[in-house]
Amino acid sequence: MSQIKRKEPPLYTLTAGAVAGAVEAIVTYPTEFVKTQLQLQDGGAGSARNGGVKFKGPIDVVRTTIRTQGITAIYRGLSALIIGTAAKAGVRFFAFDQFKDMLKDKDGKTTSARNVLAGLGAGMTEAVLVVTPTETIKTKLIHDGNSTSPKYRGLVHGVRTIIQAEGFGGVYRGVIPVMARQGANSAVRFGVYSSLSDFAKTRLNPGQQVPAVYTFGIGAIAGVITVYTTMPLDVVKTKMQGLQAKELYSGVFDCAWKVFRHEGLLSFWKGATPRLARLTMSGGIIFTVYEQVPIASS
């Protein structure tokens, strides 16, 4: 990834990534809410898993949620995602830089394949340290909001209640599919971004910085490719983190099999449209903000 060549201290990389992640979460959260709602409902009549609400598509999720629960309902779980995304992005970029440094050749260069490996390592690192607990909490808060009598009164109360009921492992539900998804996400995203960044630099004058609009476009393209290649992992992850997951599924493979058997192959791409909207925007935002933080502070 030629454009991101950090010589700054690790704290600098963590801070730049965290700022980028927080901006991304705030801007794109409604699409994450819609995606999660679509994935939580199953194909059966009545859709018992999400409190009986049956959404026909992304627009219907927004319309029904606002009509029945108010506009603030589409931001349920936002605080968990802001904290998680800021921390996730900081860890991701920091870990990517560390793995990339480890994979450099004797001339200090990396290839596209090595960037993919560095991205894979970064994604799995962020999954274990940050993503799994925050995504589990976010999913449970959204899922709980569909019931007639929600039991979680907010982020702090939700976390406390989950840990009391399920133990610390309750916030690490679905860690395997999360690791698989985040590893694949970062491998694809960093790999595509690296290749396209290298190509863009060949079109510029030597030493010229890639313009922010180019960075946004490259990040957005990386986001599109990431969505369609990793969507099945995202669906399984969401199902494993639902309120009744412990009773419904014995494990990751059992979850995937039941989704395929009861809902069909295409259900593994359920929620692709809102996730596409989110990752296209987030890909552009997170790389652009990350690249601009050093400029703003220099």
Side-chain angles (χ1 to χ4, degrees), residues 83-183:
I83 295 170
T85 304
K88 172 179 70 176
V91 171
R92 176 192 301 156
F93 281 100
F94 170 73
F96 177 78
D97 282 349
Q98 301 308 304
F99 281 116
K100 193 176 74 167
D101 285 342
M102 291 169 57
L103 293 169
K104 285 180 179 178
D105 60 23
K106 60 182 180 180
D107 297 320
K109 297 179 180 179
T110 57
T111 63
S112 294
R114 292 186 180 188
N115 283 327
V116 169
L117 286 176
L120 178 64
M124 297 186 79
T125 300
E126 67 179 272
V128 174
L129 296 180
V130 180
V131 181
T132 301
T134 55
E135 288 263 329
T136 299
I137 294 164
K138 176 216 69 177
T139 301
K140 288 182 181 295
L141 287 174
I142 291 175
H143 203 177
D144 179 62
N146 291 330
S147 65
T148 54
S149 301
K151 58 183 178 180
Y152 304 138
R153 295 194 295 270
L155 175 61
V156 176
H157 179 258
V159 173
R160 186 168 63 245
T161 304
I162 291 168
I163 293 177
Q164 287 175 347
E166 304 179 45
F168 190 71
V171 296
Y172 265 87
R173 186 80 57 204
V175 64
I176 300 301
V178 172
M179 288 180 66
R181 187 198 67 169
Q182 292 305 121

Side-chain angles (χ1 to χ4, degrees), residues 226-243:
T226 300
V227 168
Y228 289 107
T229 55
T230 65
M231 199 67 211
L233 296 170
D234 189 69
V235 169
V236 172
K237 182 275 305 179
T238 300
K239 297 280 191 184
M240 289 290 293
Q241 293 176 332
L243 292 176

Side-chain angles (χ1 to χ4, degrees), residues 14 24 35 39-40 62-63 121 127 133 136 145 147 157 255 279 284:
L14 283 167
E24 175 220 336
K35 180 216 71 170
Q39 291 178 341
L40 284 171
V62 176
R63 185 170 56 238
T136 299
S147 65
H157 179 258
C255 176
L279 286 197

Side-chain angles (χ1 to χ4, degrees), residues 67-85:
R67 186 182 70 246
T68 59
Q69 303 175 46
I71 193 168
T72 57
I74 63 175
Y75 284 93
R76 184 180 294 114
L78 173 62
S79 53
L81 198 70
I82 289 178
I83 295 170
T85 304

Side-chain angles (χ1 to χ4, degrees), residues 13-25 85-87 89-90 285-286 289-290 293:
T13 301
L14 283 167
T15 302
V19 170
V23 173
E24 175 220 336
T85 304
I285 291 169
I286 202 163
V289 173
Y290 181 77
V293 167

